[in-house]
Structures are given as structure tokens and as C-alpha cells.
PDB file of all heavy atoms in Angstrom:
ATOM      1  N   LEU R 150     -13.689 -22.082  47.338  1.00 95.00           N
ATOM      2  CA  LEU R 150     -14.850 -22.625  48.157  1.00 95.00           C
ATOM      3  C   LEU R 150     -15.992 -23.044  47.159  1.00 95.00           C
ATOM      4  O   LEU R 150     -16.600 -24.128  47.436  1.00 95.00           O
ATOM      5  CB  LEU R 150     -15.295 -21.644  49.176  1.00 95.00           C
ATOM      6  CG  LEU R 150     -16.345 -22.124  50.191  1.00 95.00           C
ATOM      7  CD1 LEU R 150     -15.818 -23.237  51.006  1.00 95.00           C
ATOM      8  CD2 LEU R 150     -16.778 -20.956  51.071  1.00 95.00           C
ATOM      9  N   GLU R 151     -16.300 -22.215  46.222  1.00 96.00           N
ATOM     10  CA  GLU R 151     -17.380 -22.567  45.298  1.00 96.00           C
ATOM     11  C   GLU R 151     -17.014 -23.831  44.469  1.00 96.00           C
ATOM     12  O   GLU R 151     -17.881 -24.685  44.291  1.00 96.00           O
ATOM     13  CB  GLU R 151     -17.633 -21.376  44.359  1.00 96.00           C
ATOM     14  CG  GLU R 151     -18.304 -20.199  45.078  1.00 96.00           C
ATOM     15  CD  GLU R 151     -19.603 -20.532  45.687  1.00 96.00           C
ATOM     16  OE1 GLU R 151     -20.397 -21.283  45.049  1.00 96.00           O
ATOM     17  OE2 GLU R 151     -19.894 -19.974  46.822  1.00 96.00           O
ATOM     18  N   GLU R 152     -15.772 -23.928  44.078  1.00 95.00           N
ATOM     19  CA  GLU R 152     -15.296 -25.073  43.342  1.00 95.00           C
ATOM     20  C   GLU R 152     -15.429 -26.355  44.201  1.00 95.00           C
ATOM     21  O   GLU R 152     -15.850 -27.424  43.721  1.00 95.00           O
ATOM     22  CB  GLU R 152     -13.858 -24.855  42.904  1.00 95.00           C
ATOM     23  CG  GLU R 152     -13.747 -23.778  41.779  1.00 95.00           C
ATOM     24  CD  GLU R 152     -12.289 -23.530  41.490  1.00 95.00           C
ATOM     25  OE1 GLU R 152     -11.400 -24.182  42.046  1.00 95.00           O
ATOM     26  OE2 GLU R 152     -12.049 -22.592  40.630  1.00 95.00           O
ATOM     27  N   LEU R 153     -15.002 -26.230  45.517  1.00 95.00           N
ATOM     28  CA  LEU R 153     -15.086 -27.408  46.386  1.00 95.00           C
ATOM     29  C   LEU R 153     -16.548 -27.845  46.539  1.00 95.00           C
ATOM     30  O   LEU R 153     -16.763 -29.051  46.563  1.00 95.00           O
ATOM     31  CB  LEU R 153     -14.326 -27.106  47.730  1.00 95.00           C
ATOM     32  CG  LEU R 153     -12.893 -26.886  47.662  1.00 95.00           C
ATOM     33  CD1 LEU R 153     -12.383 -26.310  48.965  1.00 95.00           C
ATOM     34  CD2 LEU R 153     -12.201 -28.159  47.306  1.00 95.00           C
ATOM     35  N   LYS R 154     -17.386 -26.888  46.726  1.00 94.00           N
ATOM     36  CA  LYS R 154     -18.803 -27.246  46.940  1.00 94.00           C
ATOM     37  C   LYS R 154     -19.368 -27.825  45.753  1.00 94.00           C
ATOM     38  O   LYS R 154     -20.237 -28.801  45.739  1.00 94.00           O
ATOM     39  CB  LYS R 154     -19.557 -26.005  47.426  1.00 94.00           C
ATOM     40  CG  LYS R 154     -19.273 -25.435  48.767  1.00 94.00           C
ATOM     41  CD  LYS R 154     -20.084 -24.231  49.081  1.00 94.00           C
ATOM     42  CE  LYS R 154     -19.726 -23.811  50.514  1.00 94.00           C
ATOM     43  NZ  LYS R 154     -20.607 -22.605  50.940  1.00 94.00           N
ATOM     44  N   ALA R 155     -18.933 -27.350  44.571  1.00 95.00           N
ATOM     45  CA  ALA R 155     -19.459 -27.994  43.264  1.00 95.00           C
ATOM     46  C   ALA R 155     -18.947 -29.419  43.169  1.00 95.00           C
ATOM     47  O   ALA R 155     -19.675 -30.265  42.724  1.00 95.00           O
ATOM     48  CB  ALA R 155     -18.896 -27.136  42.157  1.00 95.00           C
ATOM     49  N   GLU R 156     -17.713 -29.694  43.601  1.00 93.00           N
ATOM     50  CA  GLU R 156     -17.208 -31.093  43.545  1.00 93.00           C
ATOM     51  C   GLU R 156     -18.007 -31.953  44.430  1.00 93.00           C
ATOM     52  O   GLU R 156     -18.296 -33.108  44.018  1.00 93.00           O
ATOM     53  CB  GLU R 156     -15.799 -31.089  44.023  1.00 93.00           C
ATOM     54  CG  GLU R 156     -14.777 -30.509  42.979  1.00 93.00           C
ATOM     55  CD  GLU R 156     -14.605 -31.332  41.813  1.00 93.00           C
ATOM     56  OE1 GLU R 156     -14.977 -32.578  41.840  1.00 93.00           O
ATOM     57  OE2 GLU R 156     -14.243 -30.824  40.751  1.00 93.00           O
ATOM     58  N   VAL R 157     -18.406 -31.497  45.602  1.00 94.00           N
ATOM     59  CA  VAL R 157     -19.139 -32.289  46.516  1.00 94.00           C
ATOM     60  C   VAL R 157     -20.550 -32.527  45.978  1.00 94.00           C
ATOM     61  O   VAL R 157     -21.128 -33.549  46.102  1.00 94.00           O
ATOM     62  CB  VAL R 157     -19.280 -31.514  47.910  1.00 94.00           C
ATOM     63  CG1 VAL R 157     -20.394 -32.274  48.791  1.00 94.00           C
ATOM     64  CG2 VAL R 157     -18.011 -31.474  48.563  1.00 94.00           C
ATOM     65  N   ALA R 158     -21.141 -31.454  45.297  1.00 94.00           N
ATOM     66  CA  ALA R 158     -22.423 -31.685  44.579  1.00 94.00           C
ATOM     67  C   ALA R 158     -22.443 -32.723  43.578  1.00 94.00           C
ATOM     68  O   ALA R 158     -23.367 -33.459  43.350  1.00 94.00           O
ATOM     69  CB  ALA R 158     -22.968 -30.345  44.051  1.00 94.00           C
ATOM     70  N   ARG R 159     -21.306 -32.684  42.846  1.00 93.00           N
ATOM     71  CA  ARG R 159     -21.189 -33.753  41.722  1.00 93.00           C
ATOM     72  C   ARG R 159     -20.872 -35.184  42.285  1.00 93.00           C
ATOM     73  O   ARG R 159     -21.369 -36.192  41.677  1.00 93.00           O
ATOM     74  CB  ARG R 159     -19.990 -33.391  40.804  1.00 93.00           C
ATOM     75  CG  ARG R 159     -20.339 -32.226  39.894  1.00 93.00           C
ATOM     76  CD  ARG R 159     -19.281 -32.095  38.759  1.00 93.00           C
ATOM     77  NE  ARG R 159     -18.064 -31.624  39.295  1.00 93.00           N
ATOM     78  CZ  ARG R 159     -17.712 -30.281  39.472  1.00 93.00           C
ATOM     79  NH1 ARG R 159     -18.490 -29.314  39.016  1.00 93.00           N
ATOM     80  NH2 ARG R 159     -16.583 -29.969  39.872  1.00 93.00           N
ATOM     81  N   SER R 160     -20.171 -35.176  43.373  1.00 93.00           N
ATOM     82  CA  SER R 160     -19.800 -36.606  43.896  1.00 93.00           C
ATOM     83  C   SER R 160     -20.155 -36.548  45.482  1.00 93.00           C
ATOM     84  O   SER R 160     -19.249 -36.443  46.268  1.00 93.00           O
ATOM     85  CB  SER R 160     -18.388 -36.846  43.666  1.00 93.00           C
ATOM     86  OG  SER R 160     -18.065 -36.777  42.299  1.00 93.00           O
ATOM     87  N   PRO R 161     -21.411 -36.621  45.815  1.00 91.00           N
ATOM     88  CA  PRO R 161     -21.687 -36.608  47.271  1.00 91.00           C
ATOM     89  C   PRO R 161     -21.071 -37.720  48.060  1.00 91.00           C
ATOM     90  O   PRO R 161     -20.726 -37.544  49.311  1.00 91.00           O
ATOM     91  CB  PRO R 161     -23.288 -36.780  47.245  1.00 91.00           C
ATOM     92  CG  PRO R 161     -23.676 -36.356  45.971  1.00 91.00           C
ATOM     93  CD  PRO R 161     -22.629 -36.726  45.088  1.00 91.00           C
ATOM     94  N   GLU R 162     -20.802 -38.858  47.358  1.00 92.00           N
ATOM     95  CA  GLU R 162     -20.164 -39.961  48.136  1.00 92.00           C
ATOM     96  C   GLU R 162     -18.770 -39.651  48.570  1.00 92.00           C
ATOM     97  O   GLU R 162     -18.201 -40.306  49.375  1.00 92.00           O
ATOM     98  CB  GLU R 162     -20.190 -41.202  47.261  1.00 92.00           C
ATOM     99  CG  GLU R 162     -19.416 -41.152  46.037  1.00 92.00           C
ATOM    100  CD  GLU R 162     -20.013 -40.432  44.853  1.00 92.00           C
ATOM    101  OE1 GLU R 162     -21.109 -39.916  45.060  1.00 92.00           O
ATOM    102  OE2 GLU R 162     -19.463 -40.406  43.753  1.00 92.00           O
ATOM    103  N   ASP R 163     -18.158 -38.563  47.872  1.00 90.00           N
ATOM    104  CA  ASP R 163     -16.728 -38.162  48.190  1.00 90.00           C
ATOM    105  C   ASP R 163     -16.701 -36.964  49.047  1.00 90.00           C
ATOM    106  O   ASP R 163     -15.662 -36.262  49.125  1.00 90.00           O
ATOM    107  CB  ASP R 163     -15.980 -37.964  46.922  1.00 90.00           C
ATOM    108  CG  ASP R 163     -15.820 -39.261  45.975  1.00 90.00           C
ATOM    109  OD1 ASP R 163     -15.776 -40.268  46.644  1.00 90.00           O
ATOM    110  OD2 ASP R 163     -15.789 -39.068  44.844  1.00 90.00           O
ATOM    111  N   ALA R 164     -17.766 -36.605  49.658  1.00 91.00           N
ATOM    112  CA  ALA R 164     -17.858 -35.363  50.491  1.00 91.00           C
ATOM    113  C   ALA R 164     -16.754 -35.297  51.511  1.00 91.00           C
ATOM    114  O   ALA R 164     -16.197 -34.301  51.891  1.00 91.00           O
ATOM    115  CB  ALA R 164     -19.290 -35.171  51.034  1.00 91.00           C
ATOM    116  N   HIS R 165     -16.581 -36.480  52.179  1.00 90.00           N
ATOM    117  CA  HIS R 165     -15.543 -36.540  53.259  1.00 90.00           C
ATOM    118  C   HIS R 165     -14.089 -36.160  52.761  1.00 90.00           C
ATOM    119  O   HIS R 165     -13.305 -35.760  53.503  1.00 90.00           O
ATOM    120  CB  HIS R 165     -15.505 -37.887  53.853  1.00 90.00           C
ATOM    121  CG  HIS R 165     -15.106 -38.996  52.893  1.00 90.00           C
ATOM    122  ND1 HIS R 165     -15.883 -39.537  51.901  1.00 90.00           N
ATOM    123  CD2 HIS R 165     -13.872 -39.674  52.778  1.00 90.00           C
ATOM    124  CE1 HIS R 165     -15.204 -40.407  51.280  1.00 90.00           C
ATOM    125  NE2 HIS R 165     -14.006 -40.541  51.753  1.00 90.00           N
ATOM    126  N   VAL R 166     -13.906 -36.385  51.452  1.00 91.00           N
ATOM    127  CA  VAL R 166     -12.531 -36.042  50.871  1.00 91.00           C
ATOM    128  C   VAL R 166     -12.314 -34.509  50.971  1.00 91.00           C
ATOM    129  O   VAL R 166     -11.203 -34.057  51.128  1.00 91.00           O
ATOM    130  CB  VAL R 166     -12.438 -36.525  49.457  1.00 91.00           C
ATOM    131  CG1 VAL R 166     -11.119 -36.157  48.852  1.00 91.00           C
ATOM    132  CG2 VAL R 166     -12.608 -38.132  49.420  1.00 91.00           C
ATOM    133  N   TYR R 167     -13.396 -33.760  50.751  1.00 92.00           N
ATOM    134  CA  TYR R 167     -13.304 -32.360  50.662  1.00 92.00           C
ATOM    135  C   TYR R 167     -13.599 -31.593  51.957  1.00 92.00           C
ATOM    136  O   TYR R 167     -13.528 -30.358  52.034  1.00 92.00           O
ATOM    137  CB  TYR R 167     -14.176 -31.777  49.596  1.00 92.00           C
ATOM    138  CG  TYR R 167     -13.907 -32.427  48.226  1.00 92.00           C
ATOM    139  CD1 TYR R 167     -14.724 -33.372  47.705  1.00 92.00           C
ATOM    140  CD2 TYR R 167     -12.867 -31.977  47.363  1.00 92.00           C
ATOM    141  CE1 TYR R 167     -14.476 -33.940  46.474  1.00 92.00           C
ATOM    142  CE2 TYR R 167     -12.642 -32.515  46.169  1.00 92.00           C
ATOM    143  CZ  TYR R 167     -13.398 -33.499  45.705  1.00 92.00           C
ATOM    144  OH  TYR R 167     -13.221 -34.088  44.443  1.00 92.00           O
ATOM    145  N   GLU R 168     -14.035 -32.346  52.912  1.00 92.00           N
ATOM    146  CA  GLU R 168     -14.468 -31.781  54.169  1.00 92.00           C
ATOM    147  C   GLU R 168     -13.410 -30.829  54.841  1.00 92.00           C
ATOM    148  O   GLU R 168     -13.733 -29.654  55.224  1.00 92.00           O
ATOM    149  CB  GLU R 168     -14.838 -32.811  55.211  1.00 92.00           C
ATOM    150  CG  GLU R 168     -15.486 -32.357  56.488  1.00 92.00           C
ATOM    151  CD  GLU R 168     -15.920 -33.439  57.437  1.00 92.00           C
ATOM    152  OE1 GLU R 168     -15.786 -34.615  57.048  1.00 92.00           O
ATOM    153  OE2 GLU R 168     -16.334 -33.138  58.613  1.00 92.00           O
ATOM    154  N   ASP R 169     -12.158 -31.310  55.008  1.00 92.00           N
ATOM    155  CA  ASP R 169     -11.188 -30.490  55.629  1.00 92.00           C
ATOM    156  C   ASP R 169     -10.861 -29.178  54.816  1.00 92.00           C
ATOM    157  O   ASP R 169     -10.670 -28.109  55.395  1.00 92.00           O
ATOM    158  CB  ASP R 169      -9.908 -31.308  55.861  1.00 92.00           C
ATOM    159  CG  ASP R 169      -9.985 -32.255  56.984  1.00 92.00           C
ATOM    160  OD1 ASP R 169     -11.001 -32.220  57.684  1.00 92.00           O
ATOM    161  OD2 ASP R 169      -9.104 -33.120  57.193  1.00 92.00           O
ATOM    162  N   ASP R 170     -10.791 -29.407  53.526  1.00 93.00           N
ATOM    163  CA  ASP R 170     -10.451 -28.310  52.645  1.00 93.00           C
ATOM    164  C   ASP R 170     -11.545 -27.210  52.774  1.00 93.00           C
ATOM    165  O   ASP R 170     -11.347 -26.036  52.808  1.00 93.00           O
ATOM    166  CB  ASP R 170     -10.379 -28.682  51.186  1.00 93.00           C
ATOM    167  CG  ASP R 170      -9.014 -29.437  50.957  1.00 93.00           C
ATOM    168  OD1 ASP R 170      -8.099 -29.334  51.854  1.00 93.00           O
ATOM    169  OD2 ASP R 170      -8.912 -30.065  49.973  1.00 93.00           O
ATOM    170  N   ILE R 171     -12.800 -27.649  52.806  1.00 94.00           N
ATOM    171  CA  ILE R 171     -13.897 -26.677  52.857  1.00 94.00           C
ATOM    172  C   ILE R 171     -13.848 -25.942  54.137  1.00 94.00           C
ATOM    173  O   ILE R 171     -14.083 -24.699  54.172  1.00 94.00           O
ATOM    174  CB  ILE R 171     -15.306 -27.449  52.634  1.00 94.00           C
ATOM    175  CG1 ILE R 171     -15.454 -27.887  51.268  1.00 94.00           C
ATOM    176  CG2 ILE R 171     -16.393 -26.627  53.067  1.00 94.00           C
ATOM    177  CD1 ILE R 171     -16.689 -28.701  50.989  1.00 94.00           C
ATOM    178  N   LYS R 172     -13.656 -26.646  55.286  1.00 93.00           N
ATOM    179  CA  LYS R 172     -13.472 -26.002  56.597  1.00 93.00           C
ATOM    180  C   LYS R 172     -12.390 -24.886  56.648  1.00 93.00           C
ATOM    181  O   LYS R 172     -12.574 -23.831  57.062  1.00 93.00           O
ATOM    182  CB  LYS R 172     -13.208 -27.055  57.723  1.00 93.00           C
ATOM    183  CG  LYS R 172     -14.409 -27.893  58.048  1.00 93.00           C
ATOM    184  CD  LYS R 172     -14.094 -28.867  59.129  1.00 93.00           C
ATOM    185  CE  LYS R 172     -15.338 -29.769  59.404  1.00 93.00           C
ATOM    186  NZ  LYS R 172     -14.969 -30.646  60.615  1.00 93.00           N
ATOM    187  N   TYR R 173     -11.307 -25.348  56.073  1.00 93.00           N
ATOM    188  CA  TYR R 173     -10.129 -24.407  56.057  1.00 93.00           C
ATOM    189  C   TYR R 173     -10.441 -23.174  55.230  1.00 93.00           C
ATOM    190  O   TYR R 173     -10.148 -22.015  55.684  1.00 93.00           O
ATOM    191  CB  TYR R 173      -8.933 -25.149  55.503  1.00 93.00           C
ATOM    192  CG  TYR R 173      -7.667 -24.333  55.339  1.00 93.00           C
ATOM    193  CD1 TYR R 173      -6.725 -24.220  56.343  1.00 93.00           C
ATOM    194  CD2 TYR R 173      -7.451 -23.634  54.050  1.00 93.00           C
ATOM    195  CE1 TYR R 173      -5.635 -23.512  56.178  1.00 93.00           C
ATOM    196  CE2 TYR R 173      -6.225 -22.833  53.959  1.00 93.00           C
ATOM    197  CZ  TYR R 173      -5.345 -22.834  55.040  1.00 93.00           C
ATOM    198  OH  TYR R 173      -4.187 -21.962  54.843  1.00 93.00           O
ATOM    199  N   VAL R 174     -10.887 -23.296  54.028  1.00 95.00           N
ATOM    200  CA  VAL R 174     -11.103 -22.188  53.158  1.00 95.00           C
ATOM    201  C   VAL R 174     -12.212 -21.333  53.661  1.00 95.00           C
ATOM    202  O   VAL R 174     -12.172 -20.067  53.655  1.00 95.00           O
ATOM    203  CB  VAL R 174     -11.521 -22.684  51.728  1.00 95.00           C
ATOM    204  CG1 VAL R 174     -11.867 -21.505  50.812  1.00 95.00           C
ATOM    205  CG2 VAL R 174     -10.298 -23.431  51.103  1.00 95.00           C
ATOM    206  N   ASP R 175     -13.294 -21.917  54.165  1.00 95.00           N
ATOM    207  CA  ASP R 175     -14.451 -21.163  54.715  1.00 95.00           C
ATOM    208  C   ASP R 175     -14.028 -20.333  55.918  1.00 95.00           C
ATOM    209  O   ASP R 175     -14.476 -19.205  56.164  1.00 95.00           O
ATOM    210  CB  ASP R 175     -15.494 -22.139  55.061  1.00 95.00           C
ATOM    211  CG  ASP R 175     -16.753 -21.409  55.672  1.00 95.00           C
ATOM    212  OD1 ASP R 175     -17.395 -20.656  54.946  1.00 95.00           O
ATOM    213  OD2 ASP R 175     -17.076 -21.529  56.971  1.00 95.00           O
ATOM    214  N   TYR R 176     -13.094 -20.896  56.773  1.00 95.00           N
ATOM    215  CA  TYR R 176     -12.595 -20.150  57.886  1.00 95.00           C
ATOM    216  C   TYR R 176     -11.951 -18.788  57.555  1.00 95.00           C
ATOM    217  O   TYR R 176     -12.210 -17.796  58.027  1.00 95.00           O
ATOM    218  CB  TYR R 176     -11.634 -21.011  58.653  1.00 95.00           C
ATOM    219  CG  TYR R 176     -10.772 -20.236  59.721  1.00 95.00           C
ATOM    220  CD1 TYR R 176     -11.344 -19.836  60.920  1.00 95.00           C
ATOM    221  CD2 TYR R 176      -9.444 -19.892  59.419  1.00 95.00           C
ATOM    222  CE1 TYR R 176     -10.646 -19.090  61.795  1.00 95.00           C
ATOM    223  CE2 TYR R 176      -8.714 -19.221  60.332  1.00 95.00           C
ATOM    224  CZ  TYR R 176      -9.310 -18.742  61.568  1.00 95.00           C
ATOM    225  OH  TYR R 176      -8.547 -18.050  62.417  1.00 95.00           O
ATOM    226  N   PHE R 177     -11.000 -18.917  56.498  1.00 95.00           N
ATOM    227  CA  PHE R 177     -10.346 -17.703  56.145  1.00 95.00           C
ATOM    228  C   PHE R 177     -11.218 -16.720  55.386  1.00 95.00           C
ATOM    229  O   PHE R 177     -11.078 -15.560  55.560  1.00 95.00           O
ATOM    230  CB  PHE R 177      -9.137 -18.043  55.242  1.00 95.00           C
ATOM    231  CG  PHE R 177      -7.908 -18.476  56.021  1.00 95.00           C
ATOM    232  CD1 PHE R 177      -7.614 -19.856  56.138  1.00 95.00           C
ATOM    233  CD2 PHE R 177      -7.143 -17.523  56.645  1.00 95.00           C
ATOM    234  CE1 PHE R 177      -6.501 -20.234  56.956  1.00 95.00           C
ATOM    235  CE2 PHE R 177      -6.025 -17.968  57.474  1.00 95.00           C
ATOM    236  CZ  PHE R 177      -5.735 -19.312  57.618  1.00 95.00           C
ATOM    237  N   VAL R 178     -12.202 -17.170  54.662  1.00 96.00           N
ATOM    238  CA  VAL R 178     -13.118 -16.244  53.961  1.00 96.00           C
ATOM    239  C   VAL R 178     -13.920 -15.485  55.015  1.00 96.00           C
ATOM    240  O   VAL R 178     -13.999 -14.256  55.035  1.00 96.00           O
ATOM    241  CB  VAL R 178     -14.111 -16.994  53.050  1.00 96.00           C
ATOM    242  CG1 VAL R 178     -15.234 -16.138  52.608  1.00 96.00           C
ATOM    243  CG2 VAL R 178     -13.297 -17.582  51.830  1.00 96.00           C
ATOM    244  N   ARG R 179     -14.433 -16.187  56.059  1.00 96.00           N
ATOM    245  CA  ARG R 179     -15.164 -15.517  57.063  1.00 96.00           C
ATOM    246  C   ARG R 179     -14.292 -14.650  57.930  1.00 96.00           C
ATOM    247  O   ARG R 179     -14.747 -13.559  58.417  1.00 96.00           O
ATOM    248  CB  ARG R 179     -15.868 -16.584  57.949  1.00 96.00           C
ATOM    249  CG  ARG R 179     -16.916 -17.403  57.220  1.00 96.00           C
ATOM    250  CD  ARG R 179     -17.318 -18.580  57.982  1.00 96.00           C
ATOM    251  NE  ARG R 179     -17.921 -18.242  59.242  1.00 96.00           N
ATOM    252  CZ  ARG R 179     -18.147 -19.095  60.244  1.00 96.00           C
ATOM    253  NH1 ARG R 179     -17.773 -20.382  60.033  1.00 96.00           N
ATOM    254  NH2 ARG R 179     -18.625 -18.711  61.379  1.00 96.00           N
ATOM    255  N   LEU R 180     -13.094 -15.041  58.187  1.00 96.00           N
ATOM    256  CA  LEU R 180     -12.186 -14.173  59.022  1.00 96.00           C
ATOM    257  C   LEU R 180     -11.847 -12.844  58.366  1.00 96.00           C
ATOM    258  O   LEU R 180     -11.883 -11.770  58.961  1.00 96.00           O
ATOM    259  CB  LEU R 180     -10.851 -14.942  59.334  1.00 96.00           C
ATOM    260  CG  LEU R 180      -9.776 -14.221  60.089  1.00 96.00           C
ATOM    261  CD1 LEU R 180     -10.271 -13.954  61.525  1.00 96.00           C
ATOM    262  CD2 LEU R 180      -8.532 -15.071  60.233  1.00 96.00           C
ATOM    263  N   ILE R 181     -11.470 -12.958  57.067  1.00 96.00           N
ATOM    264  CA  ILE R 181     -11.197 -11.657  56.365  1.00 96.00           C
ATOM    265  C   ILE R 181     -12.440 -10.815  56.185  1.00 96.00           C
ATOM    266  O   ILE R 181     -12.369  -9.612  56.267  1.00 96.00           O
ATOM    267  CB  ILE R 181     -10.581 -11.988  55.032  1.00 96.00           C
ATOM    268  CG1 ILE R 181      -9.231 -12.810  55.179  1.00 96.00           C
ATOM    269  CG2 ILE R 181     -10.286 -10.712  54.185  1.00 96.00           C
ATOM    270  CD1 ILE R 181      -8.562 -13.313  53.975  1.00 96.00           C
ATOM    271  N   ASP R 182     -13.584 -11.537  55.948  1.00 95.00           N
ATOM    272  CA  ASP R 182     -14.758 -10.731  55.736  1.00 95.00           C
ATOM    273  C   ASP R 182     -15.197  -9.927  56.965  1.00 95.00           C
ATOM    274  O   ASP R 182     -15.860  -8.902  56.798  1.00 95.00           O
ATOM    275  CB  ASP R 182     -15.922 -11.727  55.393  1.00 95.00           C
ATOM    276  CG  ASP R 182     -16.159 -11.747  53.899  1.00 95.00           C
ATOM    277  OD1 ASP R 182     -15.725 -10.873  53.199  1.00 95.00           O
ATOM    278  OD2 ASP R 182     -16.801 -12.807  53.361  1.00 95.00           O
ATOM    279  N   GLN R 183     -14.860 -10.354  58.196  1.00 96.00           N
ATOM    280  CA  GLN R 183     -15.212  -9.628  59.300  1.00 96.00           C
ATOM    281  C   GLN R 183     -14.088  -8.669  59.847  1.00 96.00           C
ATOM    282  O   GLN R 183     -14.244  -8.167  60.866  1.00 96.00           O
ATOM    283  CB  GLN R 183     -15.608 -10.561  60.369  1.00 96.00           C
ATOM    284  CG  GLN R 183     -14.477 -11.432  60.980  1.00 96.00           C
ATOM    285  CD  GLN R 183     -14.963 -12.345  62.139  1.00 96.00           C
ATOM    286  OE1 GLN R 183     -16.119 -12.693  62.228  1.00 96.00           O
ATOM    287  NE2 GLN R 183     -13.983 -12.678  63.027  1.00 96.00           N
ATOM    288  N   THR R 184     -13.038  -8.619  59.014  1.00 96.00           N
ATOM    289  CA  THR R 184     -11.856  -7.812  59.541  1.00 96.00           C
ATOM    290  C   THR R 184     -11.620  -6.600  58.529  1.00 96.00           C
ATOM    291  O   THR R 184     -11.245  -5.484  58.923  1.00 96.00           O
ATOM    292  CB  THR R 184     -10.611  -8.650  59.626  1.00 96.00           C
ATOM    293  OG1 THR R 184     -10.918  -9.733  60.463  1.00 96.00           O
ATOM    294  CG2 THR R 184      -9.408  -7.889  60.167  1.00 96.00           C
ATOM    295  N   ILE R 185     -11.602  -6.877  57.182  1.00 96.00           N
ATOM    296  CA  ILE R 185     -11.232  -5.892  56.206  1.00 96.00           C
ATOM    297  C   ILE R 185     -12.408  -5.583  55.252  1.00 96.00           C
ATOM    298  O   ILE R 185     -12.833  -6.395  54.516  1.00 96.00           O
ATOM    299  CB  ILE R 185     -10.038  -6.404  55.317  1.00 96.00           C
ATOM    300  CG1 ILE R 185      -8.877  -6.867  56.183  1.00 96.00           C
ATOM    301  CG2 ILE R 185      -9.544  -5.344  54.405  1.00 96.00           C
ATOM    302  CD1 ILE R 185      -8.251  -5.836  57.063  1.00 96.00           C
ATOM    303  N   PRO R 186     -12.976  -4.305  55.388  1.00 96.00           N
ATOM    304  CA  PRO R 186     -14.042  -3.957  54.471  1.00 96.00           C
ATOM    305  C   PRO R 186     -13.399  -3.543  53.100  1.00 96.00           C
ATOM    306  O   PRO R 186     -12.349  -3.128  53.095  1.00 96.00           O
ATOM    307  CB  PRO R 186     -14.611  -2.786  55.191  1.00 96.00           C
ATOM    308  CG  PRO R 186     -13.590  -2.238  56.029  1.00 96.00           C
ATOM    309  CD  PRO R 186     -12.669  -3.349  56.404  1.00 96.00           C
ATOM    310  N   ASP R 187     -14.205  -3.737  52.098  1.00 94.00           N
ATOM    311  CA  ASP R 187     -13.702  -3.336  50.780  1.00 94.00           C
ATOM    312  C   ASP R 187     -13.813  -1.759  50.702  1.00 94.00           C
ATOM    313  O   ASP R 187     -14.320  -1.055  51.511  1.00 94.00           O
ATOM    314  CB  ASP R 187     -14.501  -3.982  49.644  1.00 94.00           C
ATOM    315  CG  ASP R 187     -16.028  -3.661  49.777  1.00 94.00           C
ATOM    316  OD1 ASP R 187     -16.368  -2.541  50.154  1.00 94.00           O
ATOM    317  OD2 ASP R 187     -16.797  -4.587  49.337  1.00 94.00           O
ATOM    318  N   GLU R 188     -13.188  -1.248  49.560  1.00 94.00           N
ATOM    319  CA  GLU R 188     -12.988   0.230  49.461  1.00 94.00           C
ATOM    320  C   GLU R 188     -14.354   0.946  49.407  1.00 94.00           C
ATOM    321  O   GLU R 188     -14.567   1.923  50.070  1.00 94.00           O
ATOM    322  CB  GLU R 188     -12.245   0.575  48.219  1.00 94.00           C
ATOM    323  CG  GLU R 188     -10.725   0.223  48.341  1.00 94.00           C
ATOM    324  CD  GLU R 188      -9.976   0.598  47.054  1.00 94.00           C
ATOM    325  OE1 GLU R 188     -10.604   1.068  46.058  1.00 94.00           O
ATOM    326  OE2 GLU R 188      -8.721   0.491  47.039  1.00 94.00           O
ATOM    327  N   LYS R 189     -15.325   0.306  48.696  1.00 94.00           N
ATOM    328  CA  LYS R 189     -16.594   0.967  48.579  1.00 94.00           C
ATOM    329  C   LYS R 189     -17.308   1.072  49.971  1.00 94.00           C
ATOM    330  O   LYS R 189     -17.926   2.169  50.232  1.00 94.00           O
ATOM    331  CB  LYS R 189     -17.485   0.209  47.590  1.00 94.00           C
ATOM    332  CG  LYS R 189     -18.863   0.851  47.297  1.00 94.00           C
ATOM    333  CD  LYS R 189     -19.688   0.037  46.384  1.00 94.00           C
ATOM    334  CE  LYS R 189     -21.097   0.621  46.228  1.00 94.00           C
ATOM    335  NZ  LYS R 189     -21.971  -0.118  45.335  1.00 94.00           N
ATOM    336  N   THR R 190     -17.167   0.104  50.742  1.00 96.00           N
ATOM    337  CA  THR R 190     -17.864   0.062  52.030  1.00 96.00           C
ATOM    338  C   THR R 190     -17.275   1.060  52.935  1.00 96.00           C
ATOM    339  O   THR R 190     -17.901   1.847  53.658  1.00 96.00           O
ATOM    340  CB  THR R 190     -17.766  -1.293  52.646  1.00 96.00           C
ATOM    341  OG1 THR R 190     -18.447  -2.244  51.853  1.00 96.00           O
ATOM    342  CG2 THR R 190     -18.385  -1.314  54.056  1.00 96.00           C
TER     343      THR R 190
END
């Protein structure tokens, strides 16, 4: 997700190219984040 956002920052005119990928990756990050806590937590 950080790499995709960096690509958009470098080439704002191509943001639409990465839009679907960003939505997909962000969805799974948020889903796992609200389901599985890490060991320390």
C-alpha cells in the first residue's frame, strides 16, 4: 500500500491506474487489522 501511494505521489496523472489496487490492498489491511491482534496486544 505504501509503494502504491508513493507511485501515485510521483505520478498524480496516473492515479486512476492504481486506484483499484489501492482499494483492494487497503480493504484487506483494514479487515485483518480489526480481526487479528498482534501477540503483544
